[in-house]
Amino acid sequence: MSSSFLSECKQKVLNRIESLLVNKDQITSSMRYSALADSKCIRAGLVFASGKLEGQLDEVGLTDIATSIELMHSYSLIHDDLPAMDDDGMRRGQPSNHVKFNEATAILAGDALQALAFETIASSKGITDAHKVEAVRMLAVACGHQGMVLGQQYDLDAEKNESLDIELIHSLKTAKLIEVALTMPYLGNEMHKKTQVLLNNLGEKIGLAFQIMDDVLEVSSDSVTLGKSNLSDITNKKMTYVSVYGVEESIQKAEALSNFCIEQIQENFEIDKARELIELTHLMVSRSN
Ligand code: IPE
Ligand code: IPE
Ligand code: MG
Ligand code: MG
């Protein structure tokens, strides 16, 4: 698969974002700048790969869900880079949103991308109303004050407070969105309850593995390959998996999580339908950027 599967997923999402962001004004330009920039779209890949497992949704529904997740992710990155947060000047191989535009516009672009993420699900022609309500609710729970944003707050707090738990921070700031990327194709349908629980558990582990590798890559790669700073965590005195456990142990932990998840996927789903999810689970920890 993965390169062609993932690039197809990416293309579908980019086309959808193009169709959503058509105005020529400053705020739309700023949203387009970040949301259409070169990225891996790995969360979109997870949505499509999850959707294949039990095939409940058609292409339209899956594309809207994947787009919504990627819009939410782009918002989080714009805000994450702001001077008051990680203060990073480079993202996705180009100047960060606040550097290209200005801080106020970057804040607003993040706000508007988040709103658009919810709108994209609520307006979808490929999802039932019951599914939409549950998808919007779960996305809000995953990304709000009990999820990603709480994780971002702990991430900032941990710059000064060493007693915070790195696994908790990563599970909140990164894994929550990945959990919902995996479960969202099956929400609002009692028939898929068991699948939802299983995918949620897998998402927690895959998401943790993904953020551990992000921490590892920051110290083992370079900023051109990453498309972002490779000095940010050090400069900001961040608590990362690497700062707590070192590079070797971090890699071992990420690989163990990925392998465990692959075994679980193999045990619980038909192999023909799970191939893409297995390969993406492997890619989460074998990637170079
Ligand atoms: C970066 O995410 C932020 C983290 C949660 C580690 P990605 O590595 O998926 O970034 P893009 O979307 O490809 O730019
Ligand atoms: C960011 O984590 C996670 C979110 C944006 C929610 P990081 O701060 O480690 O991500 P990068 O390294 O800036 O991409
Ligand atoms: Mg950051
Ligand atoms: Mg990082």
Side-chain angles (χ1 to χ4, degrees), residues 92-250:
R92 296 180 165 169
Q94 60 183 20
S96 300
N97 195 291
H98 66 273
V99 175
K100 173 75 177 177
F101 294 87
N102 57 63
E103 240 180 280
T105 296
I107 292 168
L108 293 175
D111 292 341
L113 285 168
Q114 180 176 190
L116 187 59
F118 291 113
E119 185 187 334
T120 303
I121 295 174
S123 316
S124 179
K125 295 191 166 54
I127 315 175
T128 66
D129 285 350
H131 193 155
K132 283 178 187 176
V133 170
E134 198 53 11
V136 165
R137 189 178 76 81
M138 290 308 287
L139 185 62
V141 170
C143 294
H145 74 290
Q146 301 179 89
M148 181 175 78
V149 165
L150 178 62
Q152 289 285 73
Q153 180 66 52
Y154 286 161
D155 181 82
L156 294 170
D157 296 345
E159 292 174 17
K160 300 199 175 62
N161 179 354
E162 287 176 9
S163 68
L164 281 157
D165 174 7
I166 190 64
E167 276 196 23
L168 176 65
I169 296 172
H170 284 10
S171 299
L172 291 167
K173 79 170 184 177
T174 302
K176 285 290 170 196
L177 186 58
I178 288 177
E179 285 168 25
V180 82
L182 286 174
T183 57
M184 218 190 254
Y186 299 100
L187 296 177
N189 188 333
E190 280 303 311
M191 268 168 56
H192 293 282
K193 197 78 204 162
K194 207 174 134 236
T195 305
Q196 286 171 37
V197 173
L198 178 63
L199 289 173
N200 199 76
N201 290 337
L202 291 173
E204 193 180 354
K205 294 182 174 61
I206 292 173
L208 176 58
F210 183 79
Q211 183 62 48
I212 293 174
M213 278 319 289
D214 181 81
D215 293 348
V216 169
L217 286 169
E218 176 141 344
V219 299
S220 62
S221 187
D222 58 90
S223 65
V224 175
T225 309
L226 295 176
K228 62 184 182 183
S229 167
N230 62 337
L231 298 169
S232 175
D233 292 340
I234 294 273
T235 311
N236 291 321
K237 299 191 171 58
K238 285 286 182 194
M239 183 191 286
T240 70
Y241 222 84
V242 170
S243 77
V244 176
Y245 294 105
V247 174
E248 285 310 309
E249 207 176 318
S250 297

Side-chain angles (χ1 to χ4, degrees), residues 51 54-62 65 126-128 131 184-186:
E54 295 183 1
Q56 196 207 339
L57 286 185
D58 67 9
E59 189 90 348
V60 174
L62 285 176
I65 288 176
I127 315 175
T128 66
H131 193 155
M184 218 190 254
Y186 299 100

